[in-house]
Amino acid sequence: MSEPQRMSSAATQLWHCGSGLRAIRCCSLQLGARAPAEAARHLVPLVERTMAAHRQGATETAERLCLDVLELAPDRPGALSILYEIRKTQGVTAAAETGWSPGVSAAPA
């Protein structure tokens, strides 16, 4: 397998920590390479729907929406926070304690 194929395959596989995210969107995320906040402003309504679903106890919907948001903007604090709480509740401690969880507290609200 060539190097680009190997990288492409690794980039599309879900990360082993159980977050439900791809490696490049999870533990391998380089927070210093964030896009400007205005680049993700179109995601605000989706993050708000995610938060509402989570508050209403619609965990599956909230989880799916979180993963959708984080695929587009992996450092989005609202979605990170909710996914962190979902994974913690599910007992997926590896995901709740990995590299993306500091992004929850480090990212601006």
Side-chain angles (χ1 to χ4, degrees), residues 2 7 16-19 21 26 41-42 51-52 62-63 66 74 77 81-82 86-87 99-100 103 108:
S2 71
M7 288 175 54
H16 62 80
C17 72
S19 67
L21 298 168
C26 188
R41 72 178 178 275
H42 65 283
M51 294 173 154
E63 178 181 16
C66 281
S81 178
I82 292 169
I86 290 169
R87 294 298 183 245
W100 57 271

Side-chain angles (χ1 to χ4, degrees), residues 47-58 82:
V47 173
E48 290 171 353
R49 283 183 42 213
T50 302
M51 294 173 154
H54 188 253
R55 276 193 305 272
Q56 295 168 358
I82 292 169

